Amino acid sequence: MKKKIIAGLLVLILAGTFSLAAAGAGEAADDGTKTIAFVQGLSTDEFYISMKRGVQEMCDELGYKLIVDGPTKWDYTMQTPIVETMIARKPDLMIIAPVHSDSMIAPLQKVVNAGIPVITVDTNINEEIYLCNITSDNLQGGQAAADYLAEMLGETGKVAIMNTNVGVTTTEARAKGFKDELAAKYPNMQIVSDEYCEDEAEKAASIIQAVHLKHPDLAGVFGVNLYASVGVANGLDSKGVNIPIFSYDASPAVIEALAEGIIDATVVQKPMEIGATAVKMASYYFNGEEDKITNVMVENVIATKANMDDPEVSKWFYVSD
Ligand code: T6T
């Protein structure tokens, strides 16, 4: 009896030793399989859910293990601990959409210091400590919004920008592209509001209602991402205001509003392609082909009610899971 207990104890101690050893090795597989950590900007956002699909598919194709996590709010104080937990899991490389261009520098420096190379996707940081950045042409998206609204409004009238958060490289670039294009080409168009909704559609709805109260002759709006534009669309629609809205992204809610004619046009990004390209870049790093690692800017597609059923357009619409 006593012998059995001692033997049992020994098994427990040995098992403990092995699991400790496994924990010490992090997620790195014993057979040499590479592990990639993917940290999303916002785990509930269809843009990053679609990107995760692209990352997963390319990892499956190239034989990499994938671990994924992301904050449930666009907030660097929530993304930072996720990055730290990922460091402890010891992946071979991290792909991340940093939620703030300055506040995420220190957390990502820690990743690099731990010997884990970083590739940024979509958003970026203001310090070149990453291997490369894979993103969309955000300036061009903003310019397209200005040209589209100008055409719809006969190049005249008051317009508003609904932005999301300060310090986000993508959305700030879209707003800049929009403002620069208006300033350069459309002197009779005036931006009467340029506010941030913090990625909350409800906040965007109440902001735009207040802007419309102040400027009843508001002629058009540019929403820089899906939360901004869905909020603007709902806010104006619920007040019976029907003016042109140029949106960004292709989530189911945006596509529904496009079909209903509440949103007039939207920039469709290619998050799956962005994710897959980032994993390709990771493979160049793992294979010692550093000369092939490069920044990539993925082209946008513009969807309108007229072309949204064209499979060449709809194939880029975002998925929800
Ligand atoms: O528009 C995308 C992304 O490109 C941007 O950086 C943040 O917002 C989205 O995720 C849409 O919600």
Side-chain angles (χ1 to χ4, degrees), residues 45 47-48 74 122-123 138 168 170-171 174 199 224-227 248-249 269:
D45 179 337
F47 174 81
Y48 293 112
W74 191 274
D122 183 46
T123 48
N138 293 291
V168 181
T170 50
T171 43
R174 293 168 200 169
D199 241 13
V224 304
N225 85 344
L226 64 94
Y227 299 103
Y248 227 93
D249 295 303
Q269 302 188 78

Side-chain angles (χ1 to χ4, degrees), residues 230-245:
V230 166
V232 165
N234 290 340
L236 292 178
D237 192 49
S238 68
K239 295 281 174 198
V241 179
N242 185 10
I243 56 174
I245 300 173

Side-chain angles (χ1 to χ4, degrees), residues 40-95:
Q40 297 157 301
L42 185 63
S43 63
T44 50
D45 179 337
E46 285 102 346
F47 174 81
Y48 293 112
I49 293 171
S50 305
M51 191 182 290
K52 177 179 158 188
R53 187 178 284 189
V55 168
Q56 181 72 65
E57 283 176 2
M58 192 53 82
C59 279
D60 291 347
E61 194 178 318
L62 299 178
Y64 303 143
K65 185 180 163 192
L66 176 65
I67 49 177
V68 184
D69 203 356
T72 51
K73 202 174 176 312
W74 191 274
D75 181 348
Y76 76 92
T77 67
M78 288 179 75
Q79 195 180 45
T80 298
I82 290 173
V83 167
E84 279 163 3
T85 304
M86 283 297 194
I87 296 175
R89 294 174 76 178
K90 301 190 176 161
D92 295 287
L93 184 140
M94 181 182 286
I95 296 174

Side-chain angles (χ1 to χ4, degrees), residues 262-281:
I262 303 170
I263 282 176
D264 296 86
T266 192
V267 172
V268 181
Q269 302 188 78
K270 300 177 181 171
M272 289 185 218
E273 190 168 310
I274 293 174
T277 306
V279 178
K280 259 258 152 67
M281 293 296 157

